[in-house]
Amino acid sequence: LTVKAQELSFVSPAIASGNDLKEGSVYRFKNVTKGADALVTVKKFVNGANLTLIDETGTGYDKAFQPKIYAPAGSGTSYVEFEISFVKENTSILRAIADFSATAIDIDGNSQLKEFAEITITGGCAKKFLAATVDIAVVDVHHGYKAFNVSGKEFSGIDETALAGMFSVEKQGVVSYTVKYGAIKT
């Protein structure tokens, strides 16, 4: 049995509360799917990371949630954590997405910097690779998966065709999930 996930469209966010690009700010993405909006909360900045753009457009896959994150100079792991909740259109009433799938794209790097993406969903989820050979390592974390670049291969811009640098998570009936995007610098 093949279940086709609903396509979500994260386009044209508007700040709903808080200060733009700061911890605690909440953005509303209207009509991510029929009858539902997404509320994206900037939960925290870790080890000097910060948010320079909530959703980059004009490169990559415009319907995807593509925050632009700055990782500071030096070594170590830095990231921004987001919580994404689905609500009934124009409300704050939670609403489940029946056939949920999220794909982390363009997890690339070089000899000094390796990008990573971590997706967690309460109760866990299944993972899927989009290519037979991958440039990422994916490890289990509590209720989800963390993928990080291991090859040091850099893709130009946000490359949604570089399947070796992607993975997906899937689950039925998702109301919210957490994403951490960042980098490991050496």
Side-chain angles (χ1 to χ4, degrees):
L1 175 69
T2 302
V3 177
K4 183 168 176 21
Q6 294 170 264
E7 183 174 19
L8 301 176
S9 180
F10 287 81
V11 180
S12 302
I15 192 151
S17 66
N19 295 317
D20 194 26
L21 305 176
K22 302 295 182 197
E23 283 184 358
S25 57
V26 179
Y27 297 84
R28 181 178 292 267
F29 287 81
K30 295 184 77 49
N31 300 311
V32 292
T33 193
K34 185 176 169 107
D37 295 343
L39 296 177
V40 176
T41 303
V42 181
K43 296 297 279 184
K44 65 181 169 182
F45 300 143
V46 175
N47 291 333
N50 65 56
L51 188 58
T52 60
L53 192 61
I54 189 63
D55 192 43
E56 189 165 4
T57 59
T59 185
Y61 183 59
D62 277 340
K63 291 182 178 182
F65 173 53
Q66 299 181 142
K68 190 171 185 178
I69 296 165
Y70 168 80
S75 61
T77 300
S78 58
Y79 62 89
V80 177
E81 181 179 332
F82 302 90
E83 180 179 51
I84 302 170
S85 301
F86 300 107
V87 295
K88 289 176 72 175
E89 192 173 12
N90 298 316
T91 73
S92 57
I93 300 166
L94 293 174
R95 176 195 187 275
I97 302 298
D99 299 320
F100 177 80
S101 178
T103 301
I105 64 173
D106 195 57
I107 304 170
D108 60 4
N110 55 45
S111 61
Q112 290 92 32
L113 180 141
K114 309 278 195 238
E115 293 178 350
F116 75 86
E118 180 177 317
I119 304 172
T120 57
I121 304 171
T122 300
C125 51
K127 77 173 181 282
K128 179 173 85 174
F129 291 104
L130 291 106
T133 305
V134 294
D135 293 323
I136 57 176
V138 179
V139 295
D140 292 359
V141 294
H142 189 63
H143 295 292
Y145 298 94
K146 179 178 182 176
F148 51 94
N149 181 276
V150 291
S151 70
K153 186 175 183 179
E154 182 79 43
F155 302 108
S156 179
I158 300 172
D159 188 349
E160 79 272 15
T161 64
L163 301 180
M166 299 182 196
F167 82 104
S168 294
V169 298
E170 299 174 337
K171 184 172 180 167
Q172 299 292 309
V174 172
V175 173
S176 68
Y177 65 106
T178 301
V179 178
K180 295 176 183 174
Y181 290 126
I184 303 165
K185 287 188 170 184
T186 57

